[in-house]
Amino acid sequence: MRVVIVGGGTVGLCTAVFLARQGVSVQVLERHARASEHPRAFGVNNRSAEILRGAGIEIETDNRVRGLMTGSSLADLKTVTARFEPPEIGPAKLGSCPQDRVDRVALEQLRKLGGQVDFSSEVVALADGGVTLADGRVVTGDYVIAADGVHSRMRELLGIGMTGPGRIDRSHMLNVLFRAELPTPPFSMTFLRNERASGILLKVDDAGRWVFHIPNGDPDTPVERLQQQIRDATGVTDAQPEIISKLPWSSTALVADRFRQGDVFLVGDAAHVVPQVGGFGLNMGIADGHNLAWKLAAGGDALLDTYETERRQVALFTMRQVVIRTENRDLHWDNEPGRAADRAAVGMAGIMIPYIGYRYDSPAVIDPEPLPDMENLALDGAPGSRLPHRWLPDGRSTLDLVDGFTLITGNEADHWLAAAHELGITAHAVEGWAEAANIKENGAVLVRPDGFVGWRTPTTPHGGPTSAEQLREVLDRLLCRPYSDGPERTA
């Protein structure tokens, strides 16, 4: 199988890595001459961190307190947000990492895996079984993935519309990347405002790079004026900011009407764009690629249809949640349990729900269970949810056990382990798993390659088909193919 990815940003590169790790031939086409050096996003949530970790995309994160400080200068700051300590839900932690760093590591990993990246390759048209580039070349593949951003040319060529409120406000921001020596604030985000200048300051790295988001900033503003605005806002009068690049942006909320058209799939900002509050956009895109990659590798048209079913549901839910948070910023920044009733009153879910607590409901999940509530994270082994994390004696997490379709059982389920071995499915008995996954010791869960629970049997049923027969039928159902009692299949 060969997959062509249009767009070599973070989502395109990460999706390519996910595919290449499963032996899929992949070619990335990027219209720019090189990977972007301007970080457009920073927040890497728990789910994205564990996905990247599992794919060998090892990144270092800034683990300063995730939150907001405000003041008239860097010397006069006060805390706005309550300290947010997310629960331990996996081996990877919430952190901050500039998007350009993720890109560099993903690009390096992709090349190690034999993936091809062609820069200065702009797609201008669709071709039979592929795309046409500006230089006249036609690049073909079994499938095409559009990862070409908010203003997706591929989405336009496909004639796919978008749904949602659109621009959330009339203002816009100018993201200015610069290098300077400034004191590091204790929180990850700093809002500076005084009579001379205002904006949002974020530290990029220890090499002196920062970004400053200027409300209604003009991209054509002279460099000298930008430098003075940074000095005025930070209060560091002797700073000599070196302006590296500028990117304008605005708060927009839209979701594509379709995520699949024929053999073309939309991922990332090509499929959905949400306001920057909470940092959901990049993280949704990484999860898109992770969901799609295993389904492309497994094959089957009906299974591929579940990509849109699952990820568009998540995109619509997340878009609504981000709009609510944009309109209720005090609640967004205050994650204290005592504000749960206030969040419920405006329809706001607890912060961990759109991060990692959402659930899939599609034919690729057997007997999916809805969220028990919108406030509290419940990773309890329910079909459609991300599998529970438990530390193993060897220091690994249960998430590290996932290798393709993976069966995880209690301590009295030798029949399920034998059935999995017979079918070539990875299987593990885990101490404490029965409690974690809400099963008996002779029960089991079958985890999909993306780490989501596809099926759960709380206990071994009496009578009926043998364990191997039942497991084979379950696997066929999760792969959205007709059940067959023919030759044994491997996952």
Side-chain angles (χ1 to χ4, degrees):
M1 180 194 299
R2 177 178 172 79
V3 175
V4 176
I5 299 178
V6 180
T10 308
V11 173
L13 291 172
C14 288
T15 302
V17 171
F18 305 150
L19 286 164
R21 283 177 59 87
Q22 298 182 76
V24 175
S25 174
V26 61
Q27 181 177 0
V28 178
L29 305 172
E30 168 54 48
R31 65 186 181 90
H32 291 106
R34 62 185 64 85
S36 174
E37 298 179 353
H38 193 127
R40 301 171 299 285
F42 286 80
V44 177
N45 69 25
N46 311 66
R47 177 61 182 153
S48 294
E50 68 190 30
I51 290 173
L52 297 178
R53 174 180 177 272
I57 302 174
E58 299 288 349
I59 58 172
E60 295 181 4
T61 59
D62 179 351
N63 292 314
R64 282 181 299 158
V65 176
R66 296 283 297 167
L68 175 69
M69 302 192 80
T70 186
S72 60
S73 70
L74 288 178
D76 176 31
L77 294 177
K78 64 179 181 180
T79 301
V80 172
T81 179
R83 185 179 182 91
F84 176 50
E85 294 287 354
E88 184 181 74
I89 55 175
K93 298 188 180 300
L94 180 75
S96 178
C97 182
Q99 191 171 355
D100 63 316
R101 185 186 300 165
V102 180
D103 292 358
R104 289 196 301 273
V105 178
L107 179 59
E108 180 181 353
Q109 175 73 343
L110 178 60
R111 285 173 168 161
K112 287 180 180 177
L113 294 168
Q116 180 179 347
V117 181
D118 292 347
F119 290 103
S120 301
S121 297
E122 182 177 4
V123 172
V124 295
L126 293 169
D128 186 20
V131 294
T132 301
L133 305 184
D135 61 9
R137 286 182 295 150
V138 174
V139 180
T140 60
D142 298 287
Y143 297 99
V144 176
I145 297 176
D148 53 343
V150 176
H151 306 292
S152 171
R153 175 63 172 157
M154 288 293 293
R155 189 182 63 235
E156 177 185 337
L157 290 170
L158 292 166
I160 297 175
M162 302 195 81
T163 297
R167 286 281 294 270
I168 300 299
D169 54 48
R170 296 182 180 179
S171 64
H172 64 272
M173 303 287 280
L174 182 66
N175 178 341
V176 180
L177 174 65
F178 68 96
R179 184 176 286 106
E181 293 186 11
L182 299 174
T184 300
F187 278 24
S188 60
M189 183 179 296
T190 306
F191 182 52
L192 301 167
R193 176 181 293 178
N194 56 52
E195 66 276 7
R196 297 179 303 279
S198 66
I200 302 171
L201 182 71
L202 298 97
K203 182 179 179 179
V204 177
D205 54 33
D206 291 331
R209 292 195 307 159
W210 302 77
V211 291
F212 188 51
H213 296 268
I214 304 173
N216 295 312
D218 184 351
D220 295 325
T221 301
V223 167
E224 296 78 9
R225 174 59 184 150
L226 292 175
Q227 292 171 323
Q228 189 59 48
Q229 284 181 287
I230 293 169
R231 284 190 287 266
D232 289 343
T234 62
V236 183
T237 57
D238 60 349
Q240 297 296 322
E242 174 195 348
I243 307 301
I244 301 171
S245 56
K246 300 167 287 184
L247 288 175
W249 61 270
S250 60
S251 289
T252 305
L254 292 167
V255 173
D257 296 333
R258 297 187 303 280
F259 282 18
R260 179 188 187 186
Q261 185 159 311
D263 294 333
V264 182
F265 300 84
L266 307 186
V267 298
D269 286 351
H272 43 69
V273 55
V274 297
Q276 284 68 19
V277 171
F280 291 96
L282 172 63
N283 294 289
M284 272 203 296
I286 291 172
D288 288 342
H290 196 242
N291 181 288
L292 177 59
W294 77 265
K295 294 174 180 177
L296 284 169
D301 203 53
L303 177 64
L304 290 175
D305 279 342
T306 69
Y307 166 69
E308 176 178 306
T309 303
E310 294 183 349
R311 293 307 301 169
R312 192 166 186 272
Q313 288 176 0
V314 171
L316 289 169
F317 169 73
T318 305
M319 179 181 71
R320 290 191 292 268
Q321 286 298 310
V322 178
V323 170
I324 292 171
R325 288 179 175 274
T326 301
E327 296 171 346
N328 299 271
R329 290 177 186 262
D330 62 322
L331 282 176
H332 167 70
W333 289 111
D334 188 349
N335 295 287
E336 289 298 306
R339 301 297 302 275
D342 297 330
R343 286 189 285 273
V346 297
M348 183 185 295
I351 187 66
M352 298 305 295
I353 303 299
Y355 274 166
I356 199 168
Y358 56 83
R359 296 186 174 185
Y360 291 142
D361 183 350
S362 83
V365 178
I366 297 174
D367 297 327
E369 298 182 14
L371 285 171
D373 67 72
M374 290 282 283
E375 176 66 23
N376 302 298
L377 181 65
L379 301 176
D380 56 5
S385 66
R386 201 272 264 145
L387 83 157
H389 154 71
R390 290 294 184 275
W391 289 114
L392 303 174
D394 61 4
R396 292 183 300 163
S397 163
T398 46
L399 275 71
D400 297 322
L401 300 178
V402 179
D403 179 16
F405 279 96
T406 303
L407 192 77
I408 308 181
T409 75
N411 282 327
E412 300 174 7
D414 290 346
H415 53 298
W416 287 120
L417 298 175
H421 178 74
E422 181 179 337
L423 298 177
I425 298 174
T426 301
H428 302 272
V430 172
E431 184 73 34
W433 186 247
E435 179 184 2
N438 284 312
I439 59 175
K440 301 295 184 181
E441 290 292 352
N442 64 356
V445 300
L446 186 60
V447 184
R448 307 187 323 182
D450 59 354
F452 276 74
V453 176
W455 168 78
R456 174 171 66 180
T457 178
T459 186
T460 299
H462 295 289
T466 67
S467 298
E469 290 172 342
Q470 185 178 3
L471 194 56
R472 183 183 292 114
E473 180 178 3
V474 164
L475 184 60
D476 280 338
R477 288 179 62 185
L478 293 179
L479 290 169
C480 300
R481 61 193 184 193
Y483 170 60
S484 170
D485 59 358
E488 296 171 2
R489 297 172 175 173
T490 59

